[in-house]
Amino acid sequence: MMSDYKVEMINDGMQEFYVEFHGPKDSPYQGGLWRIRVELPDAYPYKSPSIGFVNKIYHPNVDEMSGSVCLDVINQTWSPMFDLVNVFEVFLPQLLLYPNPADPLNGEAAAIMMRDRGVYEQRVKEYCEKYAKPEDVGAAGEDKSSDEELSEDDYGSSDDEVAGKADP
């Protein structure tokens, strides 16, 4: 079913996996490559899959921190007639081509898009360059886990430093 896509299974089950997704042509996302985490519920295809970007993407309808996608077809109007090919060939490309800033998960991206489309598209391209290359997809699930705690060195501070000056 997903023969045109690189799919990597998570654990031994068939319900969680990663899919490599290329940004649509003729869009600011062209040339970008994202790792999409897919989780199929037990009731699939009667219940919609959970879809999320693993590496960062700048888009009004994608939460920048979690990668969660705000997409009506997946989240609210899912039908058992849809399948994962629809998600990757129709729904996600349409989401990237036609963002909906009126229903944002990333308020900053939505505001910039509505205020200045050129600045928004430049920011999208910067994110593609920084976070959506093949090497980012390969490392996204292994080295860049958001669950890992940062060490004191990563924060650049220690308990000995004062957070700020006391009020007089």
Side-chain angles (χ1 to χ4, degrees):
M1 177 171 74
M2 297 287 290
S3 61
D4 293 340
Y5 296 89
K6 184 176 177 185
V7 177
E8 179 187 334
M9 303 311 290
I10 300 173
N11 303 322
D12 293 333
M14 297 292 290
Q15 291 184 293
E16 292 181 65
F17 47 90
Y18 296 113
V19 177
E20 283 191 9
F21 174 71
H22 295 267
K25 289 184 171 122
D26 301 322
S27 80
Y29 299 96
Q30 182 172 339
L33 179 63
W34 288 271
R35 188 177 212 191
I36 308 293
R37 183 182 173 103
V38 179
E39 289 184 50
L40 301 179
D42 291 336
Y44 179 84
Y46 300 100
K47 191 168 186 290
S48 66
S50 173
I51 307 289
F53 286 81
V54 176
N55 45 327
K56 283 188 175 189
I57 184 168
Y58 195 76
H59 191 284
N61 309 115
V62 179
D63 184 276
E64 187 175 1
M65 298 308 292
S66 71
S68 297
V69 175
C70 179
L71 187 59
D72 283 347
V73 176
I74 293 174
N75 297 329
Q76 295 166 6
T77 58
W78 180 262
S79 161
M81 295 186 45
F82 299 140
D83 61 23
L84 291 175
V85 173
N86 293 115
V87 170
F88 288 94
E89 291 188 358
V90 179
F91 304 150
L92 284 179
Q94 290 292 311
L95 177 74
L96 297 188
L97 288 166
Y98 307 105
N100 179 7
D103 186 21
L105 285 175
N106 181 336
E108 176 192 284
I112 290 174
M113 182 186 172
M114 289 191 291
R115 193 169 51 246
D116 189 333
R117 186 71 182 226
V119 170
Y120 166 77
E121 290 185 1
Q122 184 57 41
R123 183 80 48 91
V124 166
K125 291 174 185 175
E126 289 169 7
Y127 268 60
C128 288
E129 283 294 317
K130 193 169 184 181
Y131 303 110
K133 295 291 177 213
E135 57 271 17
D136 300 318
V137 170
E142 297 132 32
D143 300 343
K144 297 183 180 180
S145 171
S146 60
D147 295 335
E148 292 177 13
E149 290 186 28
L150 295 174
S151 70
E152 242 177 51
D153 294 339
D154 293 334
Y155 282 114
S157 68
S158 73
D159 293 337
D160 300 333
E161 294 176 14
V162 177
K165 293 183 180 178
D167 291 333

